[in-house]
């Protein structure tokens, strides 16, 4: 999940480690905290695989005039995705197996990069996630029905709260799926088929 998110962010623009960590926190939200102890080993693996290149700063170059007083002499290493890294990222965003939606954390990261994902792949991932959450909901309902009489009211309320959360996710996923289906059926204003290339003679959008 971390390496996928790193490739996705670097696909948008080169970044140094501090900026990457900040952007990862936004992408992952409250799912997990990214430490430098996990970020830099992941970057090292991506670099060794040829998916990321580094731009080492010149240690003899003068610091900018507006640099903070405590800025170290060594500048920040900038990480850039390579052509092989872009291929790997597009390979990952094209996957639709259970690993892309059974894990809620990975699904959340996939969703953050849906703009890079083909429409049919987005739909399969969303439908797979909805099936997974519906199974989770049925399990919670069955467990609640079996144990309702043996639970104290606080534990019962906790389980009901969990069930309500899963219900909300199912409804949210259904809305996303409906939107994908509606967008896929909406005719394009350039005369091309939905999801297809522009019609012949149509100038590219600026």
């Amino acid at each position: 999940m971390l390496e996928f998110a790193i490739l996705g962010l670097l696909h948008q623009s080169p970044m140094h480690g501090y900026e990457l960590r900040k952007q990862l926190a936004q992408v992952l939200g409250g799912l997990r905290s990214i430490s430098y102890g996990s970020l830099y080993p992941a970057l090292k693996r991506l670099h060794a695989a040829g998916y990321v290149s580094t731009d080492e700063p010149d240690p003899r170059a003068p610091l900018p005039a507006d640099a903070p007083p405590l800025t170290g002499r060594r500048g920040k290493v900038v990480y850039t995705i390579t052509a092989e890294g872009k291929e790997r990222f597009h390979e990952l965003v094209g996957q639709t197996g259970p690993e892309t939606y059974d894990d809620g954390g990975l699904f959340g990261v996939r969703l953050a990069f849906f703009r890079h994902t083909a429409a049919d792949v987005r739909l399969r991932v969303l439908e797979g996630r909805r099936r997974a959450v519906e199974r989770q909901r049925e399990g919670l309902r069955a467990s609640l029905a079996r144990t309702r009489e043996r639970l104290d009211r606080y534990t019962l309320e906790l389980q009901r709260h969990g069930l309500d959360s899963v219900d909300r996710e199912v409804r949210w996923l259904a809305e996303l799926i409906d939107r994908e289906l509606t967008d896929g059926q909406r005719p394009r204003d350039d005369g091309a088929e939905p999801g297809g290339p522009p019609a012949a003679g149509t100038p590219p959008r600026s």
Side-chain angles (χ1 to χ4, degrees):
M1 177 174 68
L2 178 56
E3 293 174 4
F4 171 79
I6 290 172
L7 288 176
L9 289 171
L10 293 181
H11 191 279
Q12 296 168 188
S13 118
M15 298 183 192
H16 53 70
Y18 172 78
E19 187 178 5
L20 257 176
R21 184 171 180 261
K22 185 169 65 174
Q23 293 293 327
L24 283 168
Q26 294 178 1
V27 168
L28 301 180
L31 297 175
R32 58 184 294 188
S33 174
I34 298 300
S35 67
Y36 289 117
S38 56
L39 173 60
Y40 285 112
L43 285 168
K44 185 176 181 180
R45 290 192 295 272
L46 291 170
H47 185 269
Y51 298 147
V52 166
S53 64
T54 57
D55 180 14
E56 298 284 348
D58 183 354
R60 297 168 297 179
L63 292 174
D66 58 351
L70 297 180
T71 300
R73 297 306 305 174
R74 187 174 184 272
K76 295 182 175 69
V77 176
V78 175
Y79 298 90
T80 303
I81 193 169
T82 63
E84 292 80 4
K86 290 179 180 179
E87 289 180 8
R88 176 59 178 162
F89 177 69
H90 287 298
E91 176 187 332
L92 292 172
V93 297
Q95 293 178 353
T96 60
E99 69 280 358
T100 66
Y101 51 74
D102 279 348
D103 181 332
L106 180 55
F107 169 73
V109 176
R110 286 294 306 270
L111 191 65
F113 296 103
F114 256 19
R115 64 190 175 279
H116 300 293
T117 307
D120 60 323
V121 174
R122 290 198 303 264
L123 190 57
R124 287 199 293 272
V125 172
L126 287 171
E127 289 175 336
R129 179 61 184 168
R130 181 171 63 176
R131 289 192 301 271
V133 178
E134 285 174 339
R135 288 194 299 269
Q136 182 183 0
R137 180 176 63 179
E138 292 311 307
L140 287 172
R141 285 175 175 171
S143 174
L144 189 58
R146 287 193 308 269
T147 61
R148 183 188 302 272
E149 300 303 323
R150 302 195 300 273
L151 296 177
D152 63 78
R153 66 189 178 101
Y154 302 106
T155 306
L156 184 60
E157 285 303 319
L158 183 62
Q159 291 207 4
R160 284 174 174 163
H161 175 69
L163 184 56
D164 286 344
S165 298
V166 174
D167 275 333
R168 285 195 298 273
E169 184 172 356
V170 171
R171 291 194 298 270
W172 171 65
L173 289 164
E175 291 172 1
L176 290 177
I177 290 169
D178 287 344
R179 197 175 308 157
E180 287 289 328
L181 293 171
T182 300
D183 290 347
Q185 294 169 359
R186 184 179 301 156
R188 289 171 48 149
D189 58 10
D190 60 12
E193 291 296 324
T202 304
R205 295 178 183 272
S206 57

